[in-house]
Every structure is written in structure tokens, then in C-alpha cells.
Amino acid sequence: FLASVTVEGVGVEVSDLDRVLVASSAIIPIFSFKNWRYQNITNIILYPDTFNEEYQYEGEKRSTLGMVGTGYMNGQMVLSKQALHLGFSSQAGVSNTGIHEFVHLIDKSDGSTDGVPETLLNNSYVIPWLKLMHQEMKKIKRGDSDVDPYALTNEAEFLAVIAEYFFEKPSKLKKNHPELFQMLLQIFNIKN
């Protein structure tokens, strides 16, 4: 992965640990796919901390931890170095910003970021996946779910949020959401 993608810092030094954490974030979701290559990323930009939607890391209204670039930023990803490290710490819980953003890239690889990773998901699973997704979104709205409410933003965010949960706390997800867990095993090609 690191041979084909540049990791650079803006306002921050990039260490070997930073590169390893970025690469780990990329590889974790696609580990079971032997020949997977991210065709839609060439550059990862690390900022010291949060940034805004105009990619500014100084000033007010900075709450973004990671973002897959679009428009002139297409092919690039911006990550908060602090959030990247937190995702691999014992305080992370079910959150991992790096994994979250790389799942968006996987989702985007079929041409649209829509919560249906068609490059990974067999067509026969698309309708069941959508049904499960919307059932869980209703539970989140009612307050009957431990899934991060950020998943309600849209289907793409639901996929990224539930993937974080799946990779960070698989036993907890299996216990609390067995159907989602089984579907994510299918999506990410993991033998149980």
C-alpha cells in the first residue's frame, strides 16, 4: 500500500508510526481480498487535528476528523493525525477514523458513495443489506441501538460507522447485532 500512496503532513511531521497506522487503516477492511488495490487514492494528507469542510486546520468551526476528497481533492484523503492515533488506542471504543475513511473509499470504488460497496458485495446481498441497514437506522432513531448516531447521516456514513464497529469490537457487534455481523462477514469476505 505504502509503495503506491504518498503520506504527507501539513502543519505536522509524518513519522513511520503515522505511515503504519495509515496503511493499517487501509488494509484492515480489505485484508481478505488478495488482489485488492485502492485505485481511487494517491495521497493521504495528515493534519495535526480537526479541520473544516474547506480543509482548513486553523480557525473556528473545525470538527472534521477525516474526509475522502472530491472535486479538486479527488484521489486524496485528509486525516487528523490525532484522530488516526486515537483510533488505534485503548480509548477508541468502536471508533477508528482511518478505517472509517478507507471504507468510504471502498464504497466509492464502484462509482458512487452510497453505502452499498458493490465491488465487494455480491448482488444477491444488496437488497438484504439495504433492509438491514434501514432497520438499524430506525432503531438508532428510536434510541434502541448502541450504533453511533452519526450513522443516521446517510447510507454511506452508516456503512463506514458500522464497519468501524465491526473491525474494532467484533464480539460486541456479534452479540448486539448478529444479523449485521453476519452480513459484514459477507461484505468483507471474512470466514467465521
Side-chain angles (χ1 to χ4, degrees):
F1 175 81
L2 290 173
S4 62
V5 174
T6 303
V7 180
E8 64 180 288
V10 173
V12 67
E13 288 287 321
V14 176
S15 68
D16 287 343
L17 177 59
D18 297 331
R19 288 181 184 83
V20 168
L21 295 179
V22 166
S24 297
S25 300
I27 299 307
I28 287 169
I30 52 93
F31 188 79
S32 295
F33 297 92
K34 290 184 184 226
N35 296 315
W36 177 272
R37 297 285 181 264
Y38 286 95
Q39 302 297 323
N40 51 355
I41 189 80
T42 57
N43 196 36
I44 311 291
I45 303 166
L46 292 183
Y47 282 175
D49 200 353
T50 56
F51 52 96
N52 64 25
E53 291 192 16
E54 284 81 39
Y55 304 103
Q56 302 299 312
Y57 64 95
E58 294 176 332
E60 298 178 11
K61 298 183 182 176
R62 295 176 300 111
S63 61
T64 305
L65 301 174
M67 186 180 289
V68 173
T70 58
Y72 74 95
M73 291 289 287
N74 199 42
Q76 300 185 70
M77 177 187 294
V78 181
L79 291 171
S80 156
K81 179 175 176 169
Q82 182 179 30
L84 176 68
H85 283 255
L86 181 61
F88 287 94
S89 75
S90 59
Q91 291 86 22
V94 299
S95 299
N96 186 305
T97 298
I99 289 172
H100 181 107
E101 295 306 322
F102 278 98
V103 169
H104 281 316
L105 275 183
I106 293 166
D107 188 14
K108 186 178 180 179
S109 69
D110 61 26
S112 63
T113 311
D114 58 4
V116 180
E118 294 173 48
T119 54
L120 304 185
L121 187 60
N122 183 305
N123 283 342
S124 64
Y125 291 104
V126 171
I127 299 296
W129 167 242
L130 288 169
K131 285 181 180 178
L132 274 175
M133 180 190 312
H134 289 281
Q135 286 171 1
E136 192 62 32
M137 289 172 97
K138 287 177 186 174
K139 290 178 185 175
I140 298 167
K141 281 181 188 171
R142 290 192 313 259
D144 295 334
S145 176
D146 65 338
V147 175
D148 184 338
Y150 188 67
L152 293 174
T153 305
N154 56 45
E155 289 83 357
E157 294 300 346
F158 181 90
L159 173 64
V161 166
I162 204 69
E164 288 178 86
Y165 194 157
F166 178 73
F167 289 112
E168 289 296 316
K169 301 288 183 198
S171 298
K172 184 177 179 181
L173 182 69
K174 184 177 182 179
K175 178 180 177 245
N176 294 345
H177 308 278
E179 288 181 282
L180 279 170
F181 178 80
Q182 289 301 318
M183 184 61 74
L184 290 164
L185 288 174
Q186 291 292 325
I187 291 171
F188 294 109
N189 195 34
I190 298 171
K191 308 299 179 232
N192 192 8

